[in-house]
C-alpha cells in the first residue's frame, strides 16, 4: 500500500473482497472506506470496512509495519508529573477522589473546572484500597501513577511499547510487557484507548477473562462509531486515526465480543469532548493533528475562536447525554 494513492486503494477495494468481520465473523459489509493517516500527516491511505451485522468499522488488512506509525512520540508515553505546589496537588487529589467515588464536594468543584474522564470512567469498578487493578496499554502509566497517589497499592500497568520497566516513588509500577505475558489474578483489568489498537479483540478479551477473578470487571474505553461524529464526519472523523485504530467499535460489537468471551456488559458511559469537532474539522480542511496550524500544536494561532470551542464542548456534553458521543467506557463483568 506504501506509495499508492487513495484512488488506487478504492480500485483495489473494488476487486478484492474485505475479510470476514474479525468481531462477529459476518461477511456482510455495510460500507468500504479509505481513511488517510492524519495524525502525523503522511496521508497514506488505508482501507476500512464496516460490518453490516455488528457495525464494527475495521481496517481491512492489518499493516505488517504498524510500529512505524507510532514513531515520533505517541502522546501516552509522556511520563506523569506531580504538581510542585502542595495546594494544587491537594486539589488534584480531591478532583480524582470525586471522579472515583462522587463523595468529595470540593473535588466536585475542581472536577467542574477541569474534568478527568479517565478517572471518572473507573467509578463503576467500585475500587477499594486493595483492589487488584491491571492497566493494559498504559503508556507511561499516568493513571496508575495518579491512583497510587491516592493510596491504591495493588495497581500495575503493562505496555509492550514502552522503553523499559518503570517504578515511581509512590509505588506505581509499569512493566514492559504485553497481555500474553501478564500473570496473576486481578479484580479489574482496564484498557484506556488501547483496545482499539489490538489486532485480535476476541483473543484479547479471552485472555483478560482468564486473568480476572470471578465477578471481576473489565473496562474498555474506546472510540465508537455509534456516534454523531462518525455519522457526520465519516473518514474525516479524528478518532478513526488510521492506521493505528484497527477497530472502531459499535455498541453492538462490544456486546457481541462480551457475550462471546464470557462477560456481561453492565455499564456504558459516553465521555467524548470537543476534540471530536475541532480535530475532525481540521482533517476536513486537510490539516494534520501535528501540523503547525493545528489547535493541538498551536492553540494560540486561533484556528477556532474561544466561543466556537466552548460551543463544541457543550455539544459534546449533549451528545454524551444522548449516548452519541464519539467515545465511551464499557464495563464488562465476568460471568460466574
Ligand atoms: Zn461484525
Amino acid at each position: 500500500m506504501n506509495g499508492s494513492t487513495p484512488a488506487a486503494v478504492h480500485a483495489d477495494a473494488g476487486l478484492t473482497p474485505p475479510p470476514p468481520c474479525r468481531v462477529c465473523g459476518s461477511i456482510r459489509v455495510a460500507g468500504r472506506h479509505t481513511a488517510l493517516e492524519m495524525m502525523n500527516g503522511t496521508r497514506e491511505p488505508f482501507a476500512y470496512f464496516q460490518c453490516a451485522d455488528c457495525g464494527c468499522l475495521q481496517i481491512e488488512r492489518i499493516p505488517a509495519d504498524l510500529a512505524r506509525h507510532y514513531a515520533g512520540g505517541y502522546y501516552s508515553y509522556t511520563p506523569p508529573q506531580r504538581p510542585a505546589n502542595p495546594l494544587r496537588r491537594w486539589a488534584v487529589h480531591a478532583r480524582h477522589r470525586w471522579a472515583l467515588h462522587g463523595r468529595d464536594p470540593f473535588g466536585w468543584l475542581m472536577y467542574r473546572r477541569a474534568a478527568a474522564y479517565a478517572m471518572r470512567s473507573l467509578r463503576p469498578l467500585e475500587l477499594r484500597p486493595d483492589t487488584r487493578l491491571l492497566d493494559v496499554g498504559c503508556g507511561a502509566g499516568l493513571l496508575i501513577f495518579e491512583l497510587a497517589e491516592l493510596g491504591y497499592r495493588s495497581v500495575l500497568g503493562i505496555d509492550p511499547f514502552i522503553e523499559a520497566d518503570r517504578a515511581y516513588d509512590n509505588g506505581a509500577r509499569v512493566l514492559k510487557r504485553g497481555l500474553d505475558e501478564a500473570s496473576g489474578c486481578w479484580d479489574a483489568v482496564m484498557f484506556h484507548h488501547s483496545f482499539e489498537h489490538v489486532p485480535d479483540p476476541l483473543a484479547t478479551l479471552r485472555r483478560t477473562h482468564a486473568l480476572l477473578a470471578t465477578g471481576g470487571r473489565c473496562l474498555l474505553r474506546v472510540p465508537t462509531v455509534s456516534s454523531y461524529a462518525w455519522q457526520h464526519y465519516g473518514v474525516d472523523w479524528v478518532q478513526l486515526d488510521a492506521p493505528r485504530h484497527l477497530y472502531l467499535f459499535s455498541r453492538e460489537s462490544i456486546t457481541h465480543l462480551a457475550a462471546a468471551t464470557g462477560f456481561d456488559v453492565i455499564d456504558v458511559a459516553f465521555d467524548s469532548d470537543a476534540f471530536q469537532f475541532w480535530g475532525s474539522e481540521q482533517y476536513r480542511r486537510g490539516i494534520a493533528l501535528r501540523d503547525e496550524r493545528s489547535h493541538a500544536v498551536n492553540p494560540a494561532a486561533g484556528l477556532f475562536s474561544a466561543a466556537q470551542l466552548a460551543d463544541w464542548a457543550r455539544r459534546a456534553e449533549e451528545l454524551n447525554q444522548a449516548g452519541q458521543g464519539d467515545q465511551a467506557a464499557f464495563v464488562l463483568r465476568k460471568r460466574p
Side-chain angles (χ1 to χ4, degrees):
M1 203 167 285
N2 203 358
S4 58
T5 64
V9 170
H10 278 306
D12 178 59
L15 296 171
T16 318
C21 172
R22 292 185 293 266
V23 170
C24 75
S26 170
I27 56 165
R28 299 197 321 123
V29 173
R32 303 180 81 176
H33 308 275
T34 302
L36 306 184
E37 195 292 311
M38 284 296 286
M39 185 178 83
N40 295 317
T42 66
R43 293 175 170 77
E44 285 173 69
F46 295 92
Y48 280 71
F49 72 97
Q50 190 166 20
C51 172
D53 284 301
C54 76
C56 181
L57 176 70
Q58 54 205 281
I59 199 163
E60 293 201 358
R61 280 159 195 85
I62 295 170
D65 59 347
L66 209 45
R68 179 167 66 85
H69 298 283
Y70 288 88
Y74 199 58
Y75 65 91
S76 55
Y77 297 121
T78 310
Q81 283 183 343
R82 182 180 291 128
N85 180 335
L87 211 59
R88 170 140 179 73
R89 204 154 63 227
W90 179 69
V92 169
H93 292 176
R95 178 169 72 120
H96 288 163
R97 274 194 297 273
W98 184 86
L100 284 177
H101 301 298
R103 285 197 296 266
D104 188 320
F106 178 72
W108 176 78
L109 277 174
M110 292 297 100
Y111 193 92
R112 294 265 297 185
R113 287 165 57 94
Y117 286 135
M119 201 60 86
R120 176 67 181 82
S121 73
L122 306 189
R123 196 180 288 181
L125 299 181
E126 298 169 353
L127 298 186
R128 303 172 311 274
D130 61 344
T131 297
R132 298 162 295 179
L133 176 65
L134 180 67
D135 188 4
V136 180
C138 64
L142 178 61
L143 201 51
I144 289 295
F145 175 86
E146 295 294 354
L147 286 166
E149 289 284 278
L150 296 179
Y152 293 91
R153 285 288 167 256
S154 303
V155 294
L156 178 70
I158 57 172
D159 194 314
F161 300 112
I162 57 174
E163 281 183 9
D165 294 355
R166 284 168 192 251
Y168 295 105
D169 62 359
N170 61 14
R173 281 186 311 137
V174 177
L175 303 180
K176 179 179 169 60
R177 63 179 63 166
L179 190 62
D180 287 342
E181 304 157 289
S183 58
C185 181
W186 301 88
D187 300 306
V189 176
M190 57 187 189
F191 300 76
H192 289 267
H193 291 274
S194 57
F195 192 64
E196 65 270 31
H197 298 260
V198 304
D200 188 340
L202 274 167
T204 299
L205 272 189
R206 277 192 207 102
R207 177 71 191 137
T208 301
H209 190 274
L211 288 168
L212 279 169
T214 300
R217 294 176 188 196
C218 169
L219 173 67
L220 301 175
R221 211 162 146 249
V222 289
T224 175
V225 287
S226 300
S227 61
Y228 168 85
W230 164 243
Q231 294 298 329
H232 183 72
Y233 290 108
V235 292
D236 289 324
W237 172 38
V238 69
Q239 289 218 71
L240 200 163
D241 197 26
R244 287 164 292 272
H245 290 178
L246 305 175
Y247 300 89
L248 291 309
F249 297 102
S250 62
R251 290 179 76 137
E252 296 75 17
S253 60
I254 294 288
T255 302
H256 181 92
L257 284 170
T261 52
F263 288 100
D264 292 308
V265 179
I266 59 167
D267 194 70
V268 184
F270 285 75
D271 60 4
S272 73
D273 59 27
F275 179 52
Q276 68 195 303
F277 294 107
W278 63 258
S280 305
E281 290 289 340
Q282 290 190 167
Y283 285 7
R284 248 189 190 176
R285 299 171 199 188
I287 300 172
L289 196 61
R290 289 180 169 163
D291 189 290
E292 278 301 311
R293 293 167 292 170
S294 169
H295 179 68
V297 175
N298 193 1
L303 189 61
F304 305 115
S305 70
Q308 176 69 86
L309 291 164
D311 184 52
W312 282 334
R314 273 193 300 274
R315 285 180 65 195
E317 195 41 53
E318 287 169 11
L319 289 172
N320 292 338
Q321 297 300 326
Q324 291 172 41
D326 81 331
Q327 58 180 43
F330 296 85
V331 179
L332 282 52
R333 184 171 53 205
K334 180 172 175 170
R335 287 178 186 155

